[in-house]
Amino acid sequence: IESEQEVEKYIAANHVDGGSTLVAVMIRDGLLSFISVGDSFIFMIRAGKLIKLNTEHTYGNLLRERAAKGEIDPEEAEINPKRASLTSYIGIGNLRLIDQSGTPINLAEGDILFLCSDGVYNALGDNALLEVVTGGDFGEAAERVEQAVLMQNIPTQDNFTAVMIKIMGGK
């Protein structure tokens, strides 16, 4: 909430429009807790599987929820041109949508936490992301992620940011 207020002050004082997504994790005693706002992602890679931990705040997500309830046609959720629009971000004003872990998640040795902006995820997707992060020496994974995103040569490439944490021991 304090970060939201600071961003709002900056936006008002500088007459700019904008904001930021946010993902954060806390690891304590082998347990993971997280918080997120916007369309950045928190993944855990465990036993070769990519597990998305958070829910992104996009109009498309709201449309998919409405489709699941039978309120709209499922195709509308996937083709709506505004589906990538953010429904929550730091700087939106009156921040309401915040995703957070309910119960802390037990971490195991070898788990990899992968936090990334939508620019990484949208460029790579699940399979490529998993392959790039786990396909070699972990110390070189960040370089592999960068190269994989750049190789997509997407003309409208969004910013891309990633943080990787490998769990080296148990509790």
Side-chain angles (χ1 to χ4, degrees):
I1 300 299
E2 289 177 27
S3 62
E4 167 69 7
Q5 293 167 345
E6 289 301 314
V7 170
E8 286 178 18
K9 283 186 213 173
Y10 178 84
I11 288 171
N14 293 285
H15 309 291
V16 296
D17 186 26
S20 179
T21 64
L22 167 79
V23 290
V25 297
M26 180 178 71
I27 301 170
R28 184 182 308 167
D29 297 327
L31 298 172
L32 168 73
S33 298
F34 68 82
I35 189 168
S36 70
V37 177
D39 63 350
S40 291
F41 299 88
I42 304 170
F43 293 100
M44 179 170 59
I45 300 171
R46 176 177 280 171
K49 299 216 184 301
L50 185 69
I51 305 160
K52 188 169 92 168
L53 300 179
N54 68 321
T55 301
E56 68 272 18
H57 301 112
T58 62
Y59 187 56
N61 241 12
L62 294 177
L63 291 172
R64 282 188 289 279
E65 288 174 13
R66 290 185 61 204
K69 293 176 185 174
E71 295 173 3
I72 63 169
D73 186 297
E75 186 177 331
E76 167 63 16
E78 299 309 317
I79 64 169
N80 188 299
K82 295 184 179 183
R83 67 187 177 281
S85 299
L86 293 176
T87 56
S88 186
Y89 57 89
I90 302 295
I92 194 170
N94 199 16
L95 180 65
R96 288 189 203 125
L97 296 175
I98 301 171
D99 191 33
Q100 57 189 341
S101 49
T103 304
I105 299 164
N106 285 308
L107 295 172
E109 186 168 354
D111 285 349
I112 297 172
L113 301 175
F114 187 83
L115 290 67
C116 68
S117 66
D118 64 322
V120 173
Y121 183 75
N122 292 341
L124 301 180
D126 289 352
N127 294 334
L129 181 63
L130 183 60
E131 183 179 322
V132 169
V133 172
T134 62
D137 179 44
F138 184 74
E140 297 169 359
E143 173 120 1
R144 289 193 306 273
V145 169
E146 178 182 24
Q147 291 306 310
V149 170
L150 292 174
M151 284 178 56
Q152 297 301 312
N153 200 27
I154 300 170
T156 58
Q157 176 64 49
D158 196 355
N159 69 74
F160 58 96
T161 304
V163 173
M164 291 170 267
I165 303 166
K166 187 168 188 175
I167 305 305
M168 302 302 286
K171 289 185 179 181

